[in-house]
Structure formats: structure tokens, C-alpha cells
Amino acid sequence: MDFKIFSVCTGNVCRSPIAELILAEELSSYPTVTVESAGIGALVGSGVPEPGRRLAGVYDLDASLHVARQLDTEMIRSSSLILGMAREHRRRVVELAPGAMRRTFTLRELARIADAVEDRLPQAVEVARGQGPTAALKSAVALAAAMRGTVPPPEDADDFDVVDPYRQSDDVYRQSFEELVPAARRVSEFLSRAVTIASV
């Protein structure tokens, strides 16, 4: 059984493709994990803009092959975890498929939750012990969903979001990457640790 992650932004050309690349790379040792991306108002057929490709290269990511596509309900239904780059993306996912609410977060939101619930992870994934990576990953997502309301929100609600750099300056692109990259790596680390714990 596969564990499919979707990263979602607006145009699917700046933020969600980079999150997709990071998550795919960080979780590449788990063959049942697939990572894809889409946009709620996608610039269908477009690639990552030059400033984004250039910055991706700084992080050893190749964004040159990406082609934007539109998010649809089938993508949502087939997913195990959906990561919006901002609250508007999380909201749109849930509007399209209300049943996806418990597996839909913003990227920075889930990274924040991961920090707060780390000590609960061993107990949460105990039920998945010996059942393979997908079961462990689903247990980690279920823990995050259950604990979401107990994690204090950031003082600035914008800290749930990754800033949109589309058609903005190089400085805004850098800010976007500085918000996105650590969050994507933290989420990957949280998911990987769940698999490691459940496999012992």
C-alpha cells in the first residue's frame, strides 16, 4: 500500500514544487512513498520560474523538469497527507473534499506540530510496529491530527504560511525558501522517525 503526499500551492510553480522535491528526496528510501504537487489555481503546463530554479540549485534540487497541474478531488482522495503552502490552500483542499480535513495541514503547521508531539510518537506508532512504512506514516499523521488543537498557534498567524514569491523580487524568493526548506525537512524527519520507531 502506498503513502502518497501532495504539496499544494496556488500556481504550482513556486512553492509546492520545491516542497515536493525536498520531501521526495528526504523520503526516497521508502519505496512505498510517493510525493506529488498541484495548484488550486495552477498555471497548467508552466515550469518553475528562473529565480526559483536558481535557488533550488543552491539546495542541490533540480526543478527544471517540473510541469504545473491543477489540483482535483481525485488527487485529494488518493492522498495520505496533503501539505498546503498556506492556509488558503488547506482551506481549498477541505472545501473540495471535506473528508480530507484530518490529513491536511499547512507545511509549517505540521512542522510546528511535529516539534510539539515528538515525545508522543513512539506510543502513537506502536500499533504500526512490524506492519511496514505506510502504517507507521499513517499513525504519525493521525497523531498530528489528534494533537493539532492542543499545540499553541504562533503569535503571528502568517507563520502558518510560506510567502508566495511568484513575480516578486529575489529577496522574496529567498524568504520563501528560508521558510519552506526547514519546514519540509522537519516534516520529513518526523515521518522518517515514525518509520524507524515502528521497524524496531
Side-chain angles (χ1 to χ4, degrees), residues 84-97:
M85 297 301 105
R87 288 162 291 170
E88 64 183 299
H89 310 128
R90 182 185 63 191
R91 182 169 57 249
R92 182 58 179 153
V93 166
V94 175
E95 287 172 353
L96 288 169

Side-chain angles (χ1 to χ4, degrees), residues 7-22 37-39 41-43 46-56 61 63 66-69 85 89 107 162-169 172-178 180-181:
S7 62
V8 177
C9 68
T10 303
N12 191 217
V13 293
C14 293
R15 292 168 288 178
S16 57
I18 302 305
E20 175 188 1
L21 288 170
I22 295 170
S37 67
L43 301 172
S46 298
V48 175
E50 190 277 332
R53 295 196 307 273
R54 177 163 30 88
L55 264 179
L61 301 169
H66 176 75
V67 178
R69 58 182 181 160
M85 297 301 105
H89 310 128
L107 178 68
V162 173
V163 68
D164 185 1
Y166 184 61
R167 291 183 172 174
Q168 301 295 316
S169 68
V172 178
Y173 266 94
R174 279 192 291 272
Q175 178 187 349
S176 185
F177 271 71
E178 287 168 1
L180 189 158
V181 174

Side-chain angles (χ1 to χ4, degrees), residues 72-169:
D72 60 36
T73 54
E74 182 51 39
M75 292 176 186
I76 298 170
R77 292 193 184 105
S78 69
S79 67
S80 307
L81 173 62
I82 304 155
L83 297 168
M85 297 301 105
R87 288 162 291 170
E88 64 183 299
H89 310 128
R90 182 185 63 191
R91 182 169 57 249
R92 182 58 179 153
V93 166
V94 175
E95 287 172 353
L96 288 169
M101 182 173 67
R102 289 182 60 80
R103 61 182 192 278
T104 304
F105 306 81
T106 76
L107 178 68
R108 295 180 78 189
E109 174 190 24
L110 184 53
R112 185 180 182 87
I113 293 170
D115 285 340
V117 305
E118 187 79 22
D119 61 337
R120 295 175 179 263
L121 196 55
Q123 182 179 357
V125 302
E126 181 64 33
V127 295
R129 192 175 298 278
Q131 296 181 41
T134 295
L137 293 166
K138 287 186 174 180
S139 294
V141 173
L143 171 65
M147 299 302 294
R148 175 167 18 202
T150 70
V151 177
E155 290 186 10
D156 185 345
D158 287 345
D159 287 347
F160 278 127
D161 304 339
V162 173
V163 68
D164 185 1
Y166 184 61
R167 291 183 172 174
Q168 301 295 316
S169 68

Side-chain angles (χ1 to χ4, degrees), residues 32-47:
T32 59
V33 175
T34 58
V35 187
E36 300 181 21
S37 67
I40 64 170
L43 301 172
V44 176
S46 298

